[in-house]
Amino acid sequence: MSRPPRHPEAHRVARVGWLRAAVLGANDGLLSTGSLILGVAAASAGRPGILLTGVAGLVAGSMSMAAGEYVSVSSQSDAESADLARETRELSADRDAEHRELSAIYERRGVSPDVAAVVATQLMAKDALGAHALDELGISAATAARPIQAALASAASFAVGGAFPLLMVVASPTRLLTPVVAVASLAFLAALGAIGAKAGGANLFRAMARVTFWGAIAMGVTAGIGKIFGTVTG
């Protein structure tokens, strides 16, 4: 009897951790640096001052994103570790009660009591903690918290995103610096929205429109504040 062909499937949930951090970091880097550049440019600063401000914002933002993401995901990791430790103690103290608990979970999903008991027995014989982690706590290898991975992804993606408006400052003529940076930043934001939507299986147009709309508002407000303060201090 021939076995059915295996066809491994690439599920998007496996990308959730790094994708969220990478897309958030790139969008934040692009929007923060682009808005900062437009605000300083609106205050009538020269190209060297704009570049210095942009680079400083990029470096500071990358470090801030890494630290914030590490602390946040570490808290999630600590909570998961505490739950797994408690589950380990419960399995050691009363394995029969844990078996009944796992069986009840499968019954609530529609499995008959007899089959649920057999499934719980077989899964616990192979990996009791893993079975309870997945079906009772909702913790799996695909969604487990990874603080270092999230921190590095956030810092790197922020730097990549922030580099685009800085390149526009270098490449654009001085008199066109503001419109070039604004238009290019919005175009890059739309592209990032499309990439994130494609990777995550979301609606492409909605993702692009959402990130472009809020990006335009953020840049407009920052440029307006720069213009006001540039006029006052000038």
Side-chain angles (χ1 to χ4, degrees):
M1 180 183 235
S2 62
R3 295 183 178 179
R6 298 181 63 186
H7 55 286
E9 300 176 351
H11 294 291
R12 292 186 174 94
V13 69
R15 309 171 183 166
V16 168
W18 66 263
L19 179 62
R20 180 187 67 84
V23 172
L24 176 63
N27 276 289
D28 198 8
L30 178 53
L31 186 54
S32 297
T33 308
S35 296
L36 186 61
I37 287 171
L38 291 176
V40 175
S44 301
R47 190 192 299 267
I50 295 173
L51 276 174
L52 178 60
T53 301
V55 171
L58 186 150
V59 173
S62 295
M63 296 300 100
S64 176
M65 284 290 292
E69 194 72 18
Y70 182 81
V71 171
S72 174
V73 180
S74 290
S75 297
Q76 178 186 344
S77 179
D78 291 342
E80 291 176 354
S81 297
D83 281 341
L84 290 174
R86 183 181 63 184
E87 201 63 37
T88 300
R89 292 193 298 270
E90 291 175 352
L91 283 166
S92 177
D94 194 344
R95 194 176 181 88
D96 289 340
E98 292 300 301
H99 179 274
R100 291 192 296 271
E101 185 177 30
L102 196 59
S103 297
I105 291 173
Y106 300 141
E107 289 180 39
R108 288 195 295 271
R109 294 179 183 174
V111 180
S112 66
D114 290 342
V115 175
V118 172
V119 172
T121 298
Q122 292 179 346
L123 289 178
M124 288 183 66
K126 181 178 181 180
D127 183 5
L129 181 61
H132 281 271
L134 179 61
D135 293 316
E136 182 182 348
L137 304 176
I139 300 173
S140 68
T143 59
R146 296 179 177 86
I148 294 178
Q149 181 189 67
L152 292 176
S154 292
S157 56
F158 187 99
V160 171
F164 284 115
L166 282 174
L167 288 175
M168 293 302 100
V169 173
V170 174
S172 61
T174 302
R175 61 186 180 85
L176 297 177
L177 190 149
T178 297
V180 168
V181 170
V183 172
S185 295
L186 290 176
F188 290 139
L189 278 173
L192 283 173
I195 292 171
K198 184 69 174 177
N203 182 278
L204 194 68
F205 177 77
R206 187 181 298 121
M208 293 174 64
R210 181 171 53 215
V211 71
T212 304
F213 173 77
W214 289 109
I217 290 178
M219 291 181 185
V221 170
T222 309
I225 293 173
K227 185 69 174 177
I228 293 171
F229 278 90
T231 302
V232 171
T233 58

